[in-house]
């Protein structure tokens, strides 16, 4: 079965610093979703990447997909306290699959 | 994701009782997915439903768990005779089309946190 490994597991950064979270799949990626979860709350959809080499940005968050490396990265520029939370990557388990496998998440804390 | 409504947000049950979790998908969405998030673990797929049909329940425990998505009303995840190990956050997601169509995304609800005492 497919597994997604996220690194680092947790991250503490000073406000204003840049950071990168990685998500590596044990199998071929057929797309990649990034979500953010605040403690005790639901998942907020951030971005969906479908093709190798694809890169998307929303405000200060940029995500890239490297299909060859079976990897995606999420980069936050000039982090703010509002970026704090748990970032989850999810991937379809197969081509055309509706079922998502998720990583265990990366907990981000931003110190003012 | 504010459009996917789950209730209750928090549910406490004694061992042996039944738990019913409800999920109303976003307007216009006919595909519903249930996931479970155990403490310190990632989200695990449980079941995928369309209106009146269970499409894939491969992630659901064989016993005590059942799910439905009737023609009218919300999707229901039902856990009979709950045990402490059932304590978790249960999330529902909905999409307008199945994930088979690459341009779709699934929106998640706020989740129901089940505590079995």
């Amino acid at each position: 079965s497919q597994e997604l490994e996220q690194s680092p597991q947790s991250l503490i950064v000073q406000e204003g610093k840049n950071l990168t979270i990685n998500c590596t799949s044990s199998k071929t990626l057929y797309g990649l979703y990034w979500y953010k979860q605040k403690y005790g709350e639901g998942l907020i959809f951030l971005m969906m990447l479908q093709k190798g080499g694809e890169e998307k940005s929303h405000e200060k968050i940029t995500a890239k997909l490297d299909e060859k490396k079976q990897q995606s990265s999420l980069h936050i520029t000039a982090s703010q306290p509002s970026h704090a939370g748990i970032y989850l990557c999810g991937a379809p388990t197969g081509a055309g699959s509706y079922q998502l496998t998720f990583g265990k998440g990366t907990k981000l804390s931003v110190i003012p | 994701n504010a459009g996917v409504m789950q209730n209750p947000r928090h549910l406490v049950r004694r061992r042996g009782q039944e738990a019913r979790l409800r999920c109303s998908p976003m307007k216009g969405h006919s595909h519903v997915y249930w996931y479970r998030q155990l403490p310190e673990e990632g989200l695990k797929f449980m079941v995928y439903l369309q209106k009146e049909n269970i499409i894939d329940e491969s992630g659901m425990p064989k016993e005590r768990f059942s799910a439905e998505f009737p023609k009218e009303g919300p999707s229901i995840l039902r856990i009979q005779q709950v045990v402490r190990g059932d304590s978790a956050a249960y999330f529902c997601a909905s999409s307008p089309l199945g994930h088979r169509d690459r341009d779709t995304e699934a929106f998640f609800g706020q989740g129901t946190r089940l505590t079995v005492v």
Side-chain angles (χ1 to χ4, degrees), chain B residues 24-90:
Chain B
S24 296
M26 285 183 71
K27 188 177 180 181
H29 287 192
S30 58
H31 298 249
V32 165
Y33 316 80
W34 284 93
Y35 289 81
R36 177 165 65 173
Q37 187 176 39
L38 290 165
E40 306 303 323
E41 292 189 21
L43 278 163
K44 303 290 185 185
F45 169 82
M46 297 182 75
V47 61
Y48 163 40
L49 309 105
Q50 292 181 22
K51 284 284 186 181
E52 299 185 277
N53 288 306
I54 296 175
I55 307 301
D56 183 350
E57 55 183 349
S58 59
M60 201 144 73
K62 301 297 181 192
E63 298 179 351
R64 303 187 296 108
F65 285 72
S66 62
E68 62 177 13
F69 190 13
K71 188 176 180 181
E72 301 291 338
S75 175
I76 306 284
L77 179 67
R78 182 182 176 203
I79 311 172
Q80 294 178 291
Q81 299 175 329
V82 296
V83 300
R84 288 212 170 127
D86 296 333
S87 296
Y90 292 83

Side-chain angles (χ1 to χ4, degrees), chain B residues 5-30:
Chain B
M5 303 300 294
Q6 289 189 248
N7 67 81
R9 292 286 305 276
H10 300 274
L11 182 62
V12 179
R13 284 287 177 267
R14 295 186 185 277
R15 280 179 294 172
Q17 289 185 320
E18 178 180 286
R20 282 189 180 231
L21 288 63
R22 296 175 189 78
C23 169
S24 296
M26 285 183 71
K27 188 177 180 181
H29 287 192
S30 58

Side-chain angles (χ1 to χ4, degrees), chain A residues 99-111:
Chain A
Q99 181 178 333
L100 296 183
T101 295
F102 283 90
K104 291 187 178 181
T106 294
K107 183 178 179 182
L108 172 64
S109 302
V110 180
I111 303 171

